[in-house]
Amino acid sequence: MALGDAILACLTERPMTGYELAKTFDASIGFFWKADHQQIYRELSRLRDKGHVLGREVVQSGKPNKLVYTLTPEGRAALKHWAARPSVPPSIKDDLLVRLYALDSVDIEPLRADLMARLEHHRDRYERYERLLNKRFPDGTAPPADVGKMLGLRIGMRHEHVVVEWCEEALDALSAISHRGNVLPLDDAKRESGAS
């Protein structure tokens, strides 16, 4: 997948400015495809040059004018063509896993600190997915146009939960090696912090 494909997918929801696209990335597609604001603006320019999006200038009073981007028929066709191709399963590139592979040759304490930070990161992401899922789909159902978004949030939650459990398992294993205390499992940590 290329960033342009992700932008075209975002624009199926509604016309957006570059800023709105960047915010949408931060709160949805960005969970699965990372891009910073400058990358999004550069890609929008490329998509416009290809004829896949149109940028319509909106005059604003007291503010700079803004460009609102919409999909063109060519852009919709490009998105359909991309979506019809088989996806490629992602490969894992994780330097933490490589360090763990060489566990008997590295210091355990920096690994424990790294795992603790990773654990907190994935706990936070799990809770963010959960909040978004409950806010957007409080009854657990979605209209046909939003089923894909709901499924994406659900797999995101499951992924984060599995990674949290793995981090806890790895920390327990390192604790056994270094005779240090264990961490709380995700459900216990949520109870302790007062989350429901």
Side-chain angles (χ1 to χ4, degrees):
M1 179 167 100
L3 176 56
D5 300 316
I7 289 172
L8 294 177
C10 274
L11 288 173
T12 62
E13 229 177 300
R14 62 182 167 81
M16 293 186 222
T17 64
Y19 177 78
E20 290 168 331
L21 273 165
K23 286 301 195 184
T24 299
F25 260 74
D26 290 344
S28 63
I29 285 186
F31 293 138
F32 312 108
W33 192 264
K34 289 288 177 212
D36 65 35
H37 292 207
Q38 290 307 313
Q39 290 172 305
I40 291 170
Y41 283 105
R42 282 193 302 271
E43 191 60 31
L44 279 169
S45 180
R46 285 188 203 104
L47 290 170
R48 199 167 60 185
D49 291 346
K50 288 180 176 179
H52 292 176
V53 298
L54 282 177
R56 180 179 51 87
E57 187 173 32
V58 175
V59 178
Q60 300 187 107
S61 176
K63 296 184 209 175
N65 295 345
K66 63 182 180 180
L67 279 176
V68 177
Y69 294 92
T70 56
L71 278 176
T72 63
E74 293 83 3
R76 285 190 186 280
L79 178 65
K80 283 185 178 190
H81 176 73
W82 165 77
R85 293 192 319 243
S87 64
V88 177
S91 60
I92 297 176
K93 289 183 180 179
D94 192 330
D95 58 344
L96 175 61
L97 297 179
V98 175
R99 289 182 218 155
L100 286 171
Y101 183 83
L103 184 60
D104 61 336
S105 300
V106 299
D107 293 329
I108 289 178
E109 287 313 307
L111 280 178
R112 282 178 50 78
D114 199 3
L115 274 163
M116 287 298 292
R118 185 81 61 104
L119 174 65
E120 289 310 309
H121 168 79
H122 289 285
R123 281 180 174 166
D124 289 345
R125 283 180 63 98
Y126 175 88
E127 290 168 2
R128 187 172 178 198
Y129 280 124
E130 187 175 43
R131 281 191 306 273
L132 283 168
L133 189 65
N134 290 336
K135 181 179 178 181
R136 272 196 91 170
F137 310 106
D139 64 355
T141 62
D146 289 338
V147 167
K149 295 171 185 76
M150 184 177 68
L151 290 171
L153 287 169
R154 285 183 177 165
I155 195 169
M157 278 182 68
R158 288 179 184 142
H159 170 78
E160 298 304 330
H161 194 270
V162 166
V163 175
V164 163
E165 287 177 338
W166 176 84
C167 286
E168 292 165 350
E169 176 185 352
L171 282 163
D172 285 344
L174 293 183
S175 294
I177 293 170
S178 65
H179 302 91
R180 302 206 31 146
N182 295 340
V183 297
L184 290 174
L186 176 63
D187 294 334
D188 294 342
K190 284 176 71 175
R191 274 195 289 279
E192 214 172 75
S193 71
S196 54

